[in-house]
């Protein structure tokens, strides 16, 4: 049981609390601000109102201390007290942007780890996430290794692509630890698209017709649903070893291993994360099925889609068979758009609510507008800018929503001098001749992509940081017309 103590609570402390509150272990906090204290108590943290640097406010023993206030000097004082009070604890201290070099150095001398707001925030957030993910991986493998015999991975009745793909993926993960498993379901695969998926990919599924058939197995796992006997043909009293699902449960779920995350769009996303983190390379059939599962459940990335779904899709793209996907249905999103979107997600540079990304060489510049649209759906993104190059020109496409930035005018400021740019406040584009950039790149495609990155991304962020155009000015109507034509697709 890890005992954690938070000292001070600025925006960083708040983020830490939100991440840590769900972890097993104890969480205490000492905060000088009454409003913050009350907010923490709402989060069921044991929060004391008082001076974070006063040891009399501390619990008897802790394993990890997060110093997480907004004030550099107060954090230094708290870090010193914590170091004195808990010799063997891990002291992690946040150094706010405003800290002087002197204070920064002083904090570094007492804390075991320093989180420097100027550079490390994003990285630390990822570390925190990966700790949780790593622990989950370990628990799943433990549950699988505990299976003595053959495992039935049961999808819900009349399984959809998400359920089918998830079952296949769990069978694959089980095999990686030497446990034999079958992907099973009750009912029919009735939907034409789902049958096409199974037939085209030659997917092996066992159709169960009698609840008694499950007795041939030594353990049961459920995917894309969470209760035996509810939306499957199992006896409601069936012992379940593993549940992996993205639907919010109506009742508490009992199983040895439960992974229920309703903040992702598909169970296939969860299974993809396992494959990726466990270093299991999905074969063509599995990757294609998982990608299809994510697409169907998120209605082609338009419904309940999260960053995790995009990350999973980006990973699967490298392994999936786009041609087969295209044959399963006539998708609204073709393979090239999906591929461009994958590159856009992988290469993204997010600063605040702005996402800028380069996709390298493109064949069809329409894909940029579609990618910019989709990226705007990512969590916390209010402005997206996507660029790629073709036929000696860099094409740039941007979208904005819920911000007061005039994107068309801002793009003109950023790129007007080296090309043509403009458009609406919420939908804009630019074209920059590659000309001189190509000379700099010296014939190498990779080098060219880097030079384009430097110029487009560099100029755009620079313009944003130095004061972007806001919606006060009327956009140039002539340019707006010009660009709205190519941006309408
Ligand atoms: Mn699903």
């Amino acid at each position: 049981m890890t005992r954690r103590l938070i000292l001070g609570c600025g925006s960083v402390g708040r983020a830490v609390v939100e991440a840590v509150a769900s972890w097993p272990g104890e969480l205490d906090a000492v905060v000088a601000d009454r409003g913050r204290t009350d907010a923490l108590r709402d989060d069921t943290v044991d929060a004391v109102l008082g001076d974070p640097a006063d040891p009399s406010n501390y619990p008897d023993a802790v394993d990890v201390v997060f110093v997480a206030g907004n004030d550099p000097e107060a954090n230094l004082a708290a870090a010193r007290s914590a170091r004195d009070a808990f010799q063997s604890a891990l002291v992690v201290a946040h150094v706010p942007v405003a800290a002087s070099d002197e204070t920064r150095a002083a904090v570094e001398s007492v804390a075991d780890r320093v989180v420097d707001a100027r550079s490390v925030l994003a990285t630390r957030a990822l570390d925190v996430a990966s700790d949780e993910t790593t622990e989950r991986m370990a628990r799943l493998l433990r549950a699988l290794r505990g299976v003595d015999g053959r495992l039935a991975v049961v999808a819900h009745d009349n399984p959809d692509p998400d359920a089918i793909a998830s079952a296949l993926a769990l069978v694959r993960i089980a095999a990686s630890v030497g446990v034999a498993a079958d992907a099973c379901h009750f009912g029919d695969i009735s939907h034409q698209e789902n049958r096409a998926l199974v037939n085209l990919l030659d997917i092996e599924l066992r159709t169960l017709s009698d609840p008694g058939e499950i007795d041939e197995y030594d353990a049961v796992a459920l995917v894309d649903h969470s209760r035996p006997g509810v939306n499957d043909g199992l006896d409601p009293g069936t012992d379940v070893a593993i549940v992996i699902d993205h639907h919010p449960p109506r009742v508490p779920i009992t199983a040895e291993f439960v992974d229920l995350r309703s903040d992702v769009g598909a169970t296939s996303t969860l299974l993809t994360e396992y494959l990726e983190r466990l270093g299991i390379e999905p074969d063509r059939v599995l990757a294609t099925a998982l990608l299809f599962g994510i697409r169907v459940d998120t209605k082609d990335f338009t419904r309940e889609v999260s960053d995790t779904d995009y990350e999973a899709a980006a990973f699967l793209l490298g392994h999936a068979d786009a041609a087969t996907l295209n044959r399963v249905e006539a998708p609204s999103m073709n393979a090239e758009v999906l591929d461009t979107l994958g590159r856009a997600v992988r290469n993204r540079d997010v600063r605040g609510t702005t996402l800028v990304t380069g996709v390298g060489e493109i064949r069809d510049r329409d894909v940029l507008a579609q990618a910019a649209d989709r990226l705007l759906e990512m969590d916390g993104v209010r402005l997206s800018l996507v660029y790629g190059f073709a036929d000696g020109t860099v094409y740039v496409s941007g979208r904005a929503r819920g911000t007061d930035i005039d994107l068309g005018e801002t793009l003109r400021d950023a790129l007007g001098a080296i090309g043509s740019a403009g458009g609406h406040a919420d939908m804009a584009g630019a074209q920059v001749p590659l000309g001189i950039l190509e000379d700099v790149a010296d014939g190498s495609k990779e080098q060219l992509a880097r030079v384009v990155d430097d110029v487009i991304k560099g100029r755009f962020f620079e313009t944003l940081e130095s004061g972007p155009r806001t919606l006060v000015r009327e956009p140039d109507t002539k340019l707006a017309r010009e660009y709205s034509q190519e941006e309408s697709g």
Side-chain angles (χ1 to χ4, degrees):
M1 200 70 139
T2 308
R3 294 154 300 183
R4 300 181 180 86
L5 171 66
I6 301 212
L7 298 177
C9 188
S11 45
V12 172
R14 188 81 203 137
V16 171
V17 169
E18 268 161 27
V20 172
S22 62
W23 295 5
E26 284 172 28
L27 184 57
D28 289 282
V30 181
V31 180
D33 173 315
R34 176 173 296 282
R36 293 277 187 190
T37 315
D38 290 342
L40 287 175
R41 284 179 185 154
D42 287 344
D43 277 347
T44 66
V45 176
D46 205 349
V48 171
L49 178 64
D51 180 0
D54 180 357
S56 70
N57 291 322
Y58 299 173
D60 292 334
V62 298
D63 303 299
V64 182
V65 181
F66 294 103
V67 180
N70 272 344
D71 177 58
E73 296 306 318
N75 279 1
L76 174 57
R80 283 183 170 143
S81 302
R83 178 77 292 155
D84 283 342
F86 308 111
Q87 307 287 335
S88 61
L90 178 78
V91 176
V92 182
H94 165 231
V95 178
V97 182
S100 67
D101 289 345
E102 212 180 14
T103 305
R104 192 177 306 270
V107 172
E108 269 164 6
S109 73
V110 289
D112 299 297
R113 297 201 45 191
V114 167
V115 182
D116 189 330
R118 286 202 290 219
S119 58
V120 199
L121 252 180
T123 320
R124 277 300 301 164
L126 281 176
D127 283 351
V128 166
S130 64
D131 281 351
E132 196 186 350
T133 313
T134 307
E135 201 231 30
R136 198 184 287 131
M137 299 294 138
R139 285 193 294 117
L140 173 62
L141 292 186
R142 205 179 309 139
L144 284 171
R145 288 199 178 99
V147 174
D148 185 13
R150 201 170 182 89
L151 172 72
V153 180
V154 181
H156 53 69
D157 281 353
N158 312 316
D160 58 11
D162 187 33
I164 293 169
S166 298
L168 291 182
L170 189 51
V171 167
R172 177 69 185 82
I173 295 168
S176 79
V177 293
V179 171
D182 294 320
C184 310
H185 70 95
F186 290 88
D188 306 320
I189 299 178
S190 46
H191 195 295
Q192 180 191 322
E193 241 173 53
N194 303 349
R195 265 212 314 273
L197 176 79
V198 171
N199 293 339
L200 282 170
L201 290 176
D202 213 1
I203 288 173
E204 277 183 50
L205 286 175
R206 176 169 181 187
T207 306
L208 305 171
S209 44
D210 185 307
E213 282 180 71
I214 207 70
D215 296 340
E216 296 170 29
Y217 293 91
D218 304 282
V220 173
L222 306 182
V223 289
D224 206 34
H225 71 302
S226 55
R227 288 165 69 193
V230 179
N231 203 12
D232 68 23
L234 293 171
D235 186 287
T238 306
D239 257 344
V240 174
I242 293 167
V243 172
I244 303 178
D245 187 19
H246 70 122
H247 301 95
R250 298 221 179 84
V251 297
I253 300 305
T254 45
E256 195 182 324
F257 174 84
V258 179
D259 181 5
L260 278 171
R261 278 179 278 167
S262 50
D263 57 346
V264 302
T267 303
S268 294
T269 295
L270 302 178
L271 269 308
T272 302
E273 190 183 82
Y274 287 117
L275 292 172
E276 193 178 1
R277 298 297 186 104
L278 293 170
I280 301 172
E281 211 158 283
D283 62 20
R284 186 188 60 91
V285 169
L286 180 55
T288 308
L290 286 167
L291 187 55
F292 193 56
I294 296 173
R295 285 179 51 184
V296 168
D297 265 35
T298 62
K299 282 217 164 59
D300 260 341
F301 304 97
T302 61
R303 196 194 62 190
E304 291 176 3
V305 65
S306 71
D307 290 12
T308 319
D309 296 303
Y310 279 112
E311 300 274 6
F315 169 75
L316 292 169
L317 273 165
H319 305 279
D321 178 354
T324 302
L325 268 186
N326 286 340
R327 283 168 65 201
V328 174
E329 55 160 5
S332 59
M333 187 190 268
N334 70 29
E336 198 190 348
V337 175
L338 204 49
D339 187 51
T340 306
L341 190 58
R343 274 183 284 158
V345 168
R346 272 197 299 276
N347 300 340
R348 71 191 188 275
D349 186 343
V350 180
R351 304 187 194 171
T353 57
T354 299
L355 182 155
V356 178
T357 183
V359 297
E361 199 172 20
I362 49 170
R363 269 182 301 166
D364 171 10
R365 65 194 214 204
D366 280 350
V367 300
L368 296 177
Q370 293 185 52
D373 269 334
R374 301 284 174 163
L375 291 169
L376 211 48
E377 289 155 14
M378 282 181 83
D379 216 359
V381 173
R382 296 230 166 117
L383 194 162
S384 62
L385 196 78
V386 187
Y387 53 88
F389 51 88
D391 307 317
T393 304
V394 184
Y395 295 95
V396 185
S397 184
R399 296 286 186 272
R401 183 187 58 198
T403 119
D404 62 350
I405 290 171
D406 186 331
L407 183 57
E409 288 297 283
T410 304
L411 263 186
R412 277 178 80 184
D413 285 354
L415 302 173
I418 56 166
S420 59
H424 304 284
D426 60 348
M427 185 189 279
Q431 296 182 13
V432 177
L434 272 177
I436 196 164
L437 303 184
E438 246 164 354
D439 295 342
V440 177
D442 219 353
S444 146
K445 279 259 145 62
E446 269 179 40
Q447 184 78 9
L448 182 58
R450 264 200 301 278
V451 174
V452 168
D453 263 338
D454 284 349
V455 172
I456 306 292
K457 197 199 289 181
R459 278 176 172 260
F460 185 72
F461 273 127
E462 213 175 281
T463 308
L464 272 189
E465 276 150 25
S466 66
R469 299 299 189 92
T470 53
L471 286 174
V472 189
R473 264 183 55 161
E474 279 293 305
D476 184 322
T477 47
K478 183 173 145 281
L479 267 171
R481 247 197 326 279
E482 202 173 294
Y483 280 91
S484 64
Q485 274 173 357
E486 69 171 81
E487 286 297 323
S488 58

